[in-house]
């Protein structure tokens, strides 16, 4: 089951693209693509200017009173001019190739796309330059790209979330514990936070948060997702635990996330901004590689002992093939073990910090307290310091013990 846009009233005007075309077949295609992106567009059928030759002059009032404004004609295709978007105010303008000549002379603005089905004509590029189009998109080849551009407008796409992955360098290193604690502390600092369990064999990260029975979608519900997943719909469909959204596994026997689903879901989570934390499996399969490719930073958790470092070397080799930035977190040092700098040096990976083993944490988790909930614990202090370094001073706002 793929998340869909919530039902209700029309899309807010601020997120409604403007379509300009007289080609009914092209209009049908554009309306279909807008529906796929969850957008309700304004539709304007261009009309000839005063000269009768189809050109629309600059002095006709593009933003509010002219043929593309709210005072003359039915730009939304419904016959009702009130509240309709004009050329300058629409967040995205889709100009059919058939209508390009009619909008020559319009003020230059970002977010203009020239769209058509037969764009082999070399003059199409000249028309694109004349109207200040950012791109020329031929259909059906560019349908996926166009849906993405429309969906960005609907969702108010801004700054992407900071995406951090956590992976164990060896078995039992505590990667899931750190991933949970990072997500909990980010949420308590006021960041919009999504925690994604990318390890199907990890036992379910929702268990660490005490939310295995919480209502919401799990990975098996999303495994068939392809193409673009609505960011807002995804966020609303996931269980909310401790002020963050969590995507985990159910108790079924499905243990595979298709790479396309992982790519779509992580991308959707990032588009909402804030913070995304992904708990990664130690084996870098195709799905894990898709997640790694979208992460800004990967923290590899390694206990401070030689055997764990040897195992982590093999994990690091696989992670580096897909990740742009890998750093090591040393968790605990047994008597006679290696210090944090030595572990980082042996692995050839920058050191992100050291977290002592927290006595009593398993018992508190069993009683319903998630990792990182106790603000004075070593784990919480590490996470708060990490977010301050990567997010800046804003990460201090609203932090609670």
């Amino acid at each position: 089951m793929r998340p869909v846009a919530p039902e209700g009233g029309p899309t807010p005007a601020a997120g409604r693209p403007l379509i300009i075309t007289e080609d009914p077949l092209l209009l049908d295609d554009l309306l279909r693509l807008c529906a796929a992106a969850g957008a309700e567009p304004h539709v304007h059928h261009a009309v000839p200017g005063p000269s009768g030759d189809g050109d629309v002059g600059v002095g006709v009032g593009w933003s509010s009173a002219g043929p593309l404004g709210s005072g003359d004609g039915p730009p939304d295709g419904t016959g009702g001019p009130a509240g309709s978007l004009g050329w300058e105010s629409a967040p995205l303008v889709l100009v059919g190739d058939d209508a390009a000549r009619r909008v020559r002379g319009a003020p230059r603005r970002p977010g203009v796309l020239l769209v058509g089905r037969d764009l082999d004509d070399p003059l199409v590029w000249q028309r694109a330059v004349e109207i200040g189009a950012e791109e020329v998109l031929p259909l059906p080849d560019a349908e996926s790209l166009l849906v993405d551009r429309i969906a960005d407008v609907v969702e108010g796409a801004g700054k992407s979330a900071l995406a951090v992955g956590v992976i164990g360098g060896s078995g039992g290193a505590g990667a899931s514990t750190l991933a949970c604690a990072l997500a909990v502390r980010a949420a308590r600092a006021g960041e919009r936070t999504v925690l994604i369990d990318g390890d199907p064999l990890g036992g379910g990260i929702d268990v660490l948060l005490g939310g295995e029975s919480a209502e919401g979608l799990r990975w098996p519900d999303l495994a068939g997702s392809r193409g673009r997943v609505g960011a807002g719909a995804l966020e609303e469909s996931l269980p909310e635990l401790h002020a963050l959204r969590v995507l985990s596994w159910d108790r079924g026997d499905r243990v595979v996330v298709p790479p396309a689903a992982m790519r779509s879901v992580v991308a959707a989570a990032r588009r909402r901004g804030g913070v995304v934390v992904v708990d990664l499996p130690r084996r870098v399969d195709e799905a894990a590689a898709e997640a790694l490719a979208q992460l800004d930073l990967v923290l590899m958790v390694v206990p401070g002992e030689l055997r764990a470092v040897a195992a982590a070397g093999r994990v690091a080799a696989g992670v580096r093939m897909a990740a742009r930035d890998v750093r090591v977190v040393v968790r605990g040092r047994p008597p006679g073990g290696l210090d944090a700098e030595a572990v980082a040096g042996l692995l050839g990976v920058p050191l992100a910090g050291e977290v002592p083993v927290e006595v009593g944490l398993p018992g508190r988790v069993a009683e319903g307290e998630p990792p990182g909930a106790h603000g004075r614990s070593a784990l919480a202090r590490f996470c708060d310091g990490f977010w301050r370094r990567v997010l800046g001073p804003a990460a201090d706002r609203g932090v609670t013990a």
Side-chain angles (χ1 to χ4, degrees):
M1 181 170 61
R2 174 175 171 169
V4 296
E7 296 181 357
T11 307
R16 298 179 67 177
L18 174 65
I19 296 175
I20 304 172
T21 182
E22 291 184 353
D23 183 339
L25 296 179
L26 178 59
L27 178 59
D28 284 345
D29 284 339
L30 294 177
L31 291 175
R32 171 176 55 84
L33 297 177
C34 283
E40 182 180 343
H42 289 279
V43 178
H44 176 70
H45 295 280
V47 295
S51 66
D53 63 0
D55 290 336
V56 180
V58 178
V60 189
W62 287 91
S63 61
S64 61
L68 298 184
S70 60
D72 184 13
D76 61 356
T78 64
S84 299
L85 291 184
W87 174 271
E88 292 182 343
S89 56
L92 184 70
V93 180
L94 310 179
V95 180
D97 187 40
D98 65 291
R101 186 167 57 95
R102 296 181 180 270
V103 298
R104 285 188 310 199
R108 295 301 174 103
R109 50 149 295 166
V112 176
L113 307 179
L114 185 63
V115 187
R117 283 190 303 276
D118 183 11
L119 300 181
D120 291 333
D121 180 1
L123 294 179
V124 70
W125 303 103
Q126 178 181 332
R127 292 192 289 273
V129 171
E130 288 174 348
I131 67 172
E134 291 181 355
E135 295 181 78
V136 177
L137 301 180
L139 301 183
D141 294 347
E143 284 193 356
S144 177
L145 176 60
L146 185 52
V147 169
D148 282 352
R149 291 296 302 270
I150 298 169
D152 282 343
V153 167
V154 174
E155 295 171 2
K159 184 178 180 180
S160 295
L162 177 69
V164 177
V166 185
I167 190 168
S170 62
S176 296
T177 298
L178 179 58
C180 278
L182 285 168
V184 167
R185 300 312 297 177
R188 293 196 177 193
E191 296 289 339
R192 172 185 275 128
T193 305
V194 178
L195 174 61
I196 298 175
D197 186 354
D199 185 0
L201 301 179
I205 208 165
D206 54 349
V207 176
L208 281 174
L209 294 167
E212 57 267 33
S213 60
E215 293 186 2
L217 299 186
R218 265 63 174 186
W219 265 121
D221 302 309
L222 298 167
S225 300
R226 288 177 174 80
R228 187 180 180 105
V229 174
L234 173 68
E235 183 179 38
E236 292 300 319
S237 70
L238 298 179
E240 184 174 5
L241 303 168
H242 305 282
L244 59 97
R245 296 286 179 168
V246 182
L247 175 56
S248 188
W249 297 84
D250 61 10
R251 308 282 81 85
D253 57 1
R254 186 177 187 116
V255 295
V256 176
V257 177
M262 180 66 77
R263 179 172 59 252
S264 298
V265 168
V266 174
R270 293 202 67 190
R271 286 197 301 275
R272 292 292 283 175
V275 166
V276 175
V277 180
V278 183
D279 184 26
L280 295 160
R282 290 177 60 215
R283 180 176 178 270
V284 182
D285 56 13
E286 290 185 25
E290 290 287 356
L292 285 166
Q294 297 192 59
L295 299 179
D296 298 296
L297 173 65
V298 177
L299 299 177
M300 185 169 61
V301 186
V302 183
E305 55 98 12
L306 191 57
R307 186 178 179 190
V309 173
R314 293 189 290 271
V315 175
V319 172
R320 283 169 164 167
M321 295 178 65
R324 67 189 78 177
D325 189 350
V326 183
R327 306 182 194 182
V328 63
V329 174
V330 178
R331 186 166 183 263
R333 188 200 313 179
L338 302 170
D339 62 27
E341 289 76 12
V343 172
L346 289 170
L347 292 172
V349 176
L351 179 64
E354 183 175 5
V355 182
V357 173
E358 193 170 315
V359 178
L361 178 60
R364 293 198 298 273
V365 169
E367 293 173 358
E369 178 182 297
H374 195 286
R376 297 181 180 178
S377 68
L379 183 58
R381 290 198 304 269
F382 170 85
C383 294
D384 290 344
F386 171 80
W387 291 127
R388 280 193 295 271
R389 291 192 298 274
V390 298
L391 294 174
D396 282 330
R397 66 182 183 273
V399 175
T400 58

